[in-house]
Amino acid sequence: MDTPDLINLPATALTQSMKALHRLANYELESGIQHRMQELGGRKEFLSESEHAELLSLVEFSERRTIEKLEAEVALQQLKAAAPELLQAS
């Protein structure tokens, strides 16, 4: 698989991509979600079926966001290694 020539990408597309990657890399779960996960997790032995399903959904959501965050961090590191001058401009 060939690596695209980053220097020839339109500047606005690259800038927008970098902003999106930074947003993903810096993402944190909202405090309400964190609080609800902690609340449900703290009493997981006593949850109703619907609360258990809610906890599983929240954990899956959190795991997906963590993966996306890590992927964005890797992509930013790769861009920095390939063209550090591009990151300095953003």
Side-chain angles (χ1 to χ4, degrees), residues 8-43:
N8 293 326
L9 287 176
T12 55
L14 186 57
T15 299
Q16 292 304 317
S17 297
M18 299 287 290
K19 286 179 183 179
L21 286 171
H22 278 289
R23 267 194 312 275
L24 284 171
N26 294 321
Y27 176 82
E28 292 185 16
L29 284 177
E30 290 83 5
S31 62
I33 293 173
Q34 289 178 347
H35 177 74
R36 184 65 175 158
M37 283 178 58
Q38 289 172 352
E39 177 188 341
L40 293 171
R43 54 185 183 88

Side-chain angles (χ1 to χ4, degrees), residues 1-77:
M1 182 163 138
D2 291 332
T3 303
D5 184 1
L6 296 177
I7 304 303
N8 293 326
L9 287 176
T12 55
L14 186 57
T15 299
Q16 292 304 317
S17 297
M18 299 287 290
K19 286 179 183 179
L21 286 171
H22 278 289
R23 267 194 312 275
L24 284 171
N26 294 321
Y27 176 82
E28 292 185 16
L29 284 177
E30 290 83 5
S31 62
I33 293 173
Q34 289 178 347
H35 177 74
R36 184 65 175 158
M37 283 178 58
Q38 289 172 352
E39 177 188 341
L40 293 171
R43 54 185 183 88
K44 62 185 166 211
E45 298 86 12
F46 308 105
L47 297 178
S48 67
E49 276 189 45
S50 63
E51 288 174 323
H52 186 259
E54 179 184 3
L55 177 59
L56 290 178
S57 293
L58 290 171
V59 168
E60 288 173 12
F61 175 79
S62 174
E63 288 173 349
R64 285 192 308 270
R65 296 294 85 80
T66 299
I67 290 168
E68 291 170 354
K69 179 179 176 127
L70 294 172
E71 289 172 341
E73 290 172 359
V74 168
L76 285 169
Q77 290 172 359

Side-chain angles (χ1 to χ4, degrees), residues 15 18-19 22 85-90:
T15 299
M18 299 287 290
K19 286 179 183 179
H22 278 289
E85 69 280 359
L86 297 175
L87 286 179
Q88 293 171 357
S90 65

